[in-house]
Amino acid sequence: SKWELVSPLILVPVTLSIESLTSPYVLKIHEDEIVINPTLAYKLENDFGICLPEFEPHESNIAEYLNGIQKLIDVNGWSIKQECGLSLFSFLKMNKP
């Protein structure tokens, strides 16, 4: 049987707020930087020798960036799913040897 591991690639910090119970939720981009998932980047580099390039949202097209990453991981038989999700993420500092 084939199993699948899934991890977000790009993390976009957002705030989700509501003014009252009858108001709709409002989702806004937070002031923090859009970043590559640091845990995934660390794992790919240390276990597979794959170095993910930084994503520059004001300079890069997301589709071109994801296509470039797909070319890096094709040799492993992996694929990128172009999906979006909303979740809470917390990262502890990683000690690099």
Side-chain angles (χ1 to χ4, degrees):
S1 68
K2 187 176 178 180
W3 48 279
E4 182 176 281
L5 295 177
V6 179
S7 177
L9 178 60
I10 298 173
L11 303 177
V12 180
V14 298
T15 57
L16 184 63
S17 59
I18 187 169
E19 290 185 17
S20 72
L21 292 176
T22 58
S23 299
Y25 283 93
V26 177
L27 184 68
K28 292 183 187 175
I29 292 180
H30 194 269
E31 293 86 28
D32 290 347
E33 282 184 42
I34 296 173
V35 296
I36 299 304
N37 180 341
T39 304
L40 177 62
Y42 183 82
K43 177 78 172 167
L44 290 177
E45 184 173 352
N46 286 282
D47 291 4
F48 302 99
I50 298 171
C51 296
L52 296 177
E54 289 298 318
F55 174 66
E56 300 294 338
H58 301 294
E59 299 172 15
S60 301
N61 174 306
I62 185 73
E64 290 173 2
Y65 180 80
L66 294 176
N67 287 337
I69 300 297
Q70 185 62 61
K71 289 176 185 172
L72 288 175
I73 64 172
D74 270 342
V75 68
N76 298 76
W78 301 337
S79 63
I80 292 177
K81 290 183 180 180
Q82 294 192 27
E83 299 175 337
C84 180
L86 184 63
S87 188
L88 296 173
F89 290 95
S90 176
F91 297 99
L92 299 175
K93 289 186 178 180
M94 292 181 290
N95 293 325
K96 293 186 180 183

